[in-house]
Amino acid sequence: MPRSDRFAGWQQCMTDVVAPMEITSPHADDFWADHRLLRIEDTLLWPTRLHASRYRRTPRLIRQSDPGLLHMTLVLPGCGKMLVEQGGLRSAVEPHDLYVLDMSRPCDVRTDDEPIVGVGVDIPRSLLRLPMSTSLDHVLGRRLPGRHGFGALLTQFITQLADPSDVYGPADAPRLNRVLLDLAAGLLSRGLDRETALSPETRTRNLVLTIRSFIGGNLHDPRLTPAAVAAAHHMSTRHLHRLFRREGTTVAALIRSQRLDRARRDLADPALAHTPLHTIAARCGFGAPAHFSRVFRAAHGMSPSDYREVKLREGAEPVR
């Protein structure tokens, strides 16, 4: 957009995407913003980078338009400290953390002079699987850690959805939206210390997502077995198998497929072309190279060395 139109254009964008706001910026005369909008059913994600600015929802603007949204922002590296205020609670939110606002209430968000970098998520309040009586007063405007627990799972999921290299189709939207809503509900319930308020179905899905994340983070460990996974989550192996039977797989099959996927990516990576096969096998949790070769051949129809040669040759061929 022409420089003279950028700030007004950004104000209109925020009105259309979220709700009318008072927006000010020390860079209004030379404003820039990079913004993408991703719609997943009734939920919106918008990765954005922009100049330092301030956003206020006032009682007058709320009377003018109340979309009934919960707004969440994942703050990313490169962003200045976000100063967030709602309901008398003030927080300083830094990269890798999140905050949640109720757009039906007055709020104030700003960075003083550093860029804003993050992913906004707007969820209709009615879609969250929390009891109607649940008050969010204790989480609104508060810094929510994004490095552990549900915060880490939600951060990882939002980041993956916002990655332009990951392409999803319309048929994926219902499942993606369900996962996003469940993780958001889990994060809010943990913040309220009210996880028991979640429905049994939501708690089960969140537990499965937590276990999947644990497996993905421990593939390098050859001691990663269904029994070890069950012990790490304080449940019996029988209960663990029952959870994943509903997912249409087994824990052992999931561990094996994730290890093979990681090995396949490493073998196709030109940066790892000179990494010995036994190193890749160990990094992916395969204890013996012979076992790795046997399992890989059964899955992909060729040995790891042949697979690497094919993929590296494909990558080296010129594009016509």
Side-chain angles (χ1 to χ4, degrees):
M1 297 180 68
R3 182 176 298 179
S4 60
D5 297 340
R6 289 177 190 168
F7 191 62
W10 180 248
Q11 290 174 310
Q12 186 60 50
C13 179
M14 286 293 93
T15 295
D16 294 341
V17 172
V18 187
M21 303 180 214
E22 284 185 4
I23 306 178
T24 57
S25 173
H27 306 282
D29 295 334
D30 188 26
F31 195 77
W32 62 262
D34 181 11
H35 177 76
R36 291 188 299 124
L37 184 63
L38 311 173
R39 183 180 296 277
I40 306 177
E41 295 198 311
D42 293 324
T43 302
L44 295 178
L45 278 82
W46 38 283
T48 189
R49 298 174 64 251
L50 64 149
H51 255 143
S53 37
R54 182 175 186 177
Y55 303 80
R56 298 179 65 236
R57 281 278 284 167
T58 65
R60 178 183 64 82
L61 290 175
I62 293 169
R63 289 193 297 272
Q64 176 183 331
S65 175
D66 182 2
L69 294 175
L70 281 182
H71 170 79
M72 179 183 301
T73 288
L74 166 62
V75 182
L76 295 175
C79 184
K81 184 178 293 184
M82 300 283 291
L83 304 176
V84 181
E85 181 175 356
Q86 185 163 66
L89 182 63
R90 299 179 182 178
S91 302
V93 184
E94 299 184 346
H96 305 291
D97 292 332
L98 307 102
Y99 65 83
V100 178
L101 299 172
D102 184 344
M103 301 308 291
S104 301
R105 305 187 194 184
C107 57
D108 190 341
V109 178
R110 72 181 192 275
T111 59
D112 286 334
D113 196 40
E114 296 183 80
I116 295 174
V117 185
V119 183
V121 183
D122 291 297
I123 302 172
R125 175 65 173 81
S126 60
L127 295 184
L128 279 179
R129 304 181 185 210
L130 295 171
M132 291 296 293
S133 60
T134 299
S135 171
L136 299 177
D137 289 350
H138 293 295
V139 296
L140 295 175
R142 194 176 102 192
R143 181 186 73 86
L144 300 174
R147 293 181 183 269
H148 55 80
F150 279 105
L153 289 173
L154 184 57
T155 293
Q156 181 182 9
F157 189 68
I158 290 174
T159 302
Q160 183 172 346
L161 287 179
D163 186 344
S165 66
D166 284 327
V167 179
Y168 301 99
D172 301 317
R175 177 173 294 180
L176 294 173
N177 195 43
R178 186 184 73 181
V179 173
L180 180 59
L181 293 174
D182 283 343
L183 290 176
L187 177 66
L188 293 173
S189 296
R190 283 290 179 91
L192 295 167
D193 194 25
R194 292 195 58 179
E195 188 180 7
T196 55
L198 294 173
S199 70
E201 294 81 7
T202 298
R203 287 202 304 274
T204 297
R205 284 197 294 269
N206 283 342
L207 178 57
V208 170
L209 288 168
T210 300
I211 294 170
R212 284 180 175 271
S213 179
F214 174 83
I215 290 171
N218 290 276
L219 292 176
H220 63 281
D221 190 344
R223 298 169 297 179
L224 184 68
T225 62
V229 173
H233 292 85
H234 310 290
M235 65 177 65
S236 68
T237 305
R238 177 178 295 180
H239 184 199
L240 179 69
H241 288 319
R242 190 162 56 246
L243 283 174
F244 279 83
R245 193 177 302 124
R246 299 169 186 168
E247 300 286 304
T249 187
T250 66
V251 178
L254 180 63
I255 293 171
R256 183 171 60 254
S257 66
Q258 289 200 20
R259 282 176 168 159
L260 285 169
D261 284 345
R262 180 166 298 180
R264 179 177 49 80
R265 290 194 300 269
D266 285 355
L267 290 169
D269 187 348
L272 301 176
H274 300 293
T275 302
L277 292 178
H278 66 83
T279 301
I280 290 178
R283 183 183 295 169
C284 298
F286 292 101
H291 173 65
F292 169 53
S293 181
R294 186 168 59 254
V295 172
F296 193 92
R297 184 186 292 275
H300 297 289
M302 64 180 75
S303 69
S305 58
D306 288 344
Y307 183 89
R308 168 186 269 175
E309 182 179 348
V310 169
K311 291 301 178 180
L312 294 181
R313 187 170 61 245
E314 288 176 354
E317 292 177 352
V319 178
R320 295 181 174 86

